[in-house]
Each structure stands twice: as C-alpha cells, then as structure tokens.
Amino acid sequence: MATRWGICGAGKISHDFSVAMKTLPPEDHQIEVIASRSLERSKEFAKKHGIPKAYGSYEELANDPDIDIVYLGVLHTEHWRVGLLFLKAGKNVLCEKPFAMNSRQVKDLVTAAKQNNVFLMEAIWSRCFPVHSELHIPRSVEKELGGGALLDIGVYCLQFILMVFNGERPESIQAMGVLLDSGVDESVVVVMKFSRNRMAFCAFSIAARLPNDAVIAGTKGSIKVLGPMHCPTTLVVNDKEMKYPLPEPCLPLNFTNSTGLCYEAEEVRQCLLKGLKESPRMPLADSVLLTEIMDEIRKQWGICSAGKISHDFTVALKSLPPEDHQVVAVAARKLGYAQEFAKKHNIARAYGGYEELARDPDIDVVYIGVIHPYHLSTCLLFMNAKKNVLCEKPLAMNTKEVQEILASAKNNGVFFMEAVWTRFFPASVEIRRLLAEGEVGELKIVKSEFGVPLMHVARSVRKELGGGAMLDLGIYCLQFICMVYREKPECIQAMGVCLETGVDETVVVTLKFSKNRMAVFTCSMGMQLSNDAIIVGTKGTIRIPEHMWCPTSLVVNGKETQYPVPEPYLPLNFTNSTGMRYEAEEVRQCLLKGLKESAVMSHADSLLLAEVEDEIRRQVGVVYTQDCQ
C-alpha cells in the first residue's frame, strides 16, 4: 500500500519535493492533498502536480483522515506553530530544516511527537543521499582513516559534523561572524572541539560563494564530499572518485539536485513500515543538539523597556563582539517609545507591549530595565514564556516577591540573575581574588558610602514608584559587604531619616558578622557622599577610592591599579555604564555552560540582600504597599 502524503505549503521547496516524489514508484508514494493559506494557490499547485485535493488552510489538512504523513514546507518561523498543529492531530510529520527557531521550540515538537505517538523527522535531506549513506556504514570513517578530524565544511556543515562524530556533543564552541544592519548573520565561522582532541571547523555565508565542499581527514587518509556538499553526488575517498547520480526531474526545479529529496521520502516510508517513531539516519536527538549548538553560537537579547538604564545597557552590549551578543528586539509600554529606541540603537524589531517580546521565538535572554515595583510581574511574564532573564536591581520590593521570582525561574527551568553589575567589574574580580588569597589577612571591618542628590527625581521620592535611598543606592553598599563576608549578618542595626512621602532619604546601617567582624554603610539621596569603600584586615587594606558601585581603580596596601571601562559609542546616562558589558558576558557564559544561575551573583545572594533590606526598612519605618499584600 502506498504511503499517503499531505503537502503543507505551496512554495518553492514544496514544488521540488513533489517533483522528487514523482521519481519514486507510485505504488509506494502518493501525494493526496496540498494545503496552503490560500485556496487558490493550493488549487494551482494541485493542478501542476496532479494532486487530487486542495485545501485553503492547514487545519483542513490536519483533519484529513486519509493522510499518513505531512511534509511541512512552510517558512521555518512557522515550523513550531504549524508542526504542533499536525502532531497534536496525530499526524506523522517530515519537517523542513531548520526544525525551528531555537532549541526550546524543537524540544516542544519532540515532546508533542512522543505524547501523540507519531513519527517525526527533521528533513535534513543530505543524510539520506547515497553519498552520505556510504558514510553511514558503521565506523567506516574510522576504518578508512584511522580516526577522524573534520577540517573544512560549508553550508549544512553543523549537521555534517554531528553525523561524522555520531551525534556527540562538542566540548567547546567558538564562533565569529559578521552581522547585517537587520541583525541577522551574514557570514559565520565556527570552530568546535570534540573528545579525544578531534576538531571541526566550518564557514557559511549568504554574501559570498564558498567551495561548499567537506573534508574528513584522519591519520590514514581523507574523505572529501565535493560541492555542493548539502546535496552531494560525488565522493572522493583517498583520491578515488565515486559518482552517485540523481534521478532526472519531470518539471524544472527551484534548487540544485532537488530530486534527491526522494531519498528522505523513502527513508520516511521505510521507518513507517517498521513502526519507528524517528529515523536512525536523522534521530530527534541530533535535531535537538543541532539547535542547541546554533543557540550557543548566537545569544540574542531582547530589551524590556526603553528607558535610560536600557539605553546604557544596549550601549554596553555594543562594546562586546557582535557574534557573541545581538540585540534583536526592544519592547516598551508604547510602540512609539520602542520604535524610537530601536532606531537609535539599530534594533530590528520594536514592540508596543512586553507580551509581544515574550512571544518572540528568536530571543534567548531578556534584559529587564523597568522600575523595580514592576520587576515581579515582568519577570514572571518572561520566565513563564521560558525566557532567560537578567533583571535590574533591586530585584523586587521585598523578600516575598524575590522568593516568588526565584521559584518561577526554577519551575520554568530558565536562567535568572539579578543585575548587580558591580560584582562583574574587573576590579571586583580582583577583590575576590585578593580576599581568597588572604592578601589583607583576617578581615575586621568593611565600610562603604553611596550618596548622590536625587530629591528632584520623582522616581526616587515617590513611594508608589519604589522610592527611597536603601533600595536605590544602599543595595550597592550592602551587596559589597555581602560579597566580602559571604554570609548573613548576625546583627543588624539601622537608623534613618524619612521624607514626608514615607520613603527613606538617608540611612546608616551597622552589621555584625561571625568572628567579631563588622561592617557599616551610609546611603543618602539627599547629599553627595564620598562614595568609596574600604576593606580592612590584619595585614592591610583594599580601597575603592570612588564610584564604588562601578569601580575602575583599586588601592591595595597603598598601591593603586586602574581598570578602565570601554568608551561608549553613544552618550550615557549613568557613570561608567559600559561596565554593564561584564554582567552581560557573565550571562552568556552561564548560558553556554547550561547553568541556571551565576555563582558570582547567585539566587541565594539575591535572597540574602532582600532579607537584610527588609529588616533595615522595618527598623527605619519604610513600608511599601507590596509589604501589606
């Protein structure tokens, strides 16, 4: 009995797939229906290819009981949504590559296939060509070459590498690329290291014509796939050339060697005959790994809010390699604000609502720059959408809200970090090294000050906007002390002056830690303070002479060292803001390692800050609406 196919999408690739099917025996394969978003277009496609039925919607195809499998040939931006439609309808699916926009979407498709007990395969047609079938002979590469090391490949290179290395996850990945003004990659070079000191590297470009071949080199020889390697017909093994011709098409094709699509169609049929739910040639694990690697190559940011701090963060990101960090979207409460921000920073997409940014499939991580009374709701929005999050400090209004945010991060399995940027400055890294090595002996006291006149700033003095010196300025002093002592204080004493609005203007806090160690800090939004910090031990001192919240110099036992930050490409709103690049790179490194939190600014650190802040506010007499809920 013939395998009955439904074609989803009436574009160029679906045309070529249908032509390729004509090269197979009609008793084995039949295309029964074509569906597109336009009934007229479907009818035109059906007439050209001799297909009996035509639908004007994908839902009609999903409901057709006479279809064994659907070929999904729509744009890959739609693969996730349309793929889930067919899988949940109990249809077997062959989905064009790339499988989806990111690994999260791919995992959703794989999960849906398993839950509905249907066959699913990413249409990496190259793997089904006779040339690649030759490479699939068990360990044939190692037999011929004595162990492989991939040297140079072109388009489709990542899947080819995974095939050669039998789906092994690379130990390390390095990528460098050139971006277009639209924010997409024009040319990329990727280097990967695998176990047993095996290497792979590849280059791909949409701006230049490459040789598009592939070479596998080992200690005994080489295997070369002549271009085009993504649809190969020639293999050279140790200088011996072998040809694998393709069937002739019955209609003109849109793409090179497209009758080779018949091989993946036959692979699907054989799997269905055997009752398999995935192909051994292109297993679902390979599809997941492939997208995870691509996710790691491009870490893409979404910016939530178009205010001053978001401006500075975006400027800071521009000081990092563009192949490592890309801002692809910004969202604000009003579309006009987002569009203005996007124009200034050359960002491709602007959204007039945070929900639109949460739905954007291209976003790996969101920077939240809204004011802190809205951190809780905004964090929950993005984490429930499975987005990794870097949220500005203070993390929330009180301990209860912080606990809710951290619980959501854990429940959704996403990375989350409070953006205490100070901890990632090179000067702060050096402080931690000096403390670990006992440079100043046993610690005795830590002192810090942060005060700047902010009485003219509405956000600082209004309670409903989260105003007050402790949450806005004091958090920097407190986090510095907690970074040094790395424990919860045994005793907290706080005294402060409050405004008529009910928020704290100036606060002085004394903390006692274990082993009779002390700390004191002052924060004020009513006056200018020295804004320095000092750590005193039995063998000396470490001092940040100024700008303790964004340090660029250290004085260690009288010797000063400078740690300058990069120059901005646009004017900044706040001092040394390009230093936010360091926390952004920390996020990237954590994501590359699969971590859900940073060891430098952990979830426990955020919880500790909130707990101490709550006690300080209690003693000073500052109560927010959120504390009463």
Side-chain angles (χ1 to χ4, degrees), residues 5-9 33-36 53-72 81-93 116 118:
W5 289 82
I7 305 295
C8 178
V33 62
I34 169 68
S36 73
K53 288 185 281 186
Y55 295 138
S57 71
Y58 304 148
E59 289 75 14
E60 291 177 277
L61 178 57
N63 293 325
D64 192 319
D66 298 329
I67 300 302
D68 298 313
I69 184 161
V70 173
Y71 170 77
L72 195 56
R81 181 182 65 83
V82 182
L84 289 178
L85 168 69
F86 290 115
L87 293 171
K88 291 178 179 180
K91 300 298 184 187
N92 301 302
V93 172
N116 290 281
V118 292

Side-chain angles (χ1 to χ4, degrees), residues 42 58 147 158 161 194 205 229 256 259 277 297 307-308 317 369 402 441 452 469 527 548 551 556 614 618:
S42 291
Y58 304 148
L158 294 178
I161 291 170
F194 291 80
S205 176
M229 61 80 63
T256 304
T259 53
K277 301 306 177 185
I297 290 171
K308 292 181 179 180
L317 283 179
V402 168
V452 290
M527 68 190 87
M548 59 78 55
V556 181
D614 280 2
R618 186 190 68 79

Side-chain angles (χ1 to χ4, degrees), residues 139-151 161 164-166 168 194-200 215-223:
R139 313 311 298 168
S140 66
V141 175
E142 293 199 6
K143 285 182 181 180
E144 290 288 334
L145 309 182
L150 193 64
L151 296 184
I161 291 170
V164 171
F165 289 127
N166 294 305
E168 178 184 329
F194 291 80
S195 64
R196 305 201 301 275
N197 292 321
R198 297 172 299 168
M199 299 291 293
V215 177
I216 307 166
T219 56
K220 295 181 181 179
S222 66
I223 298 176

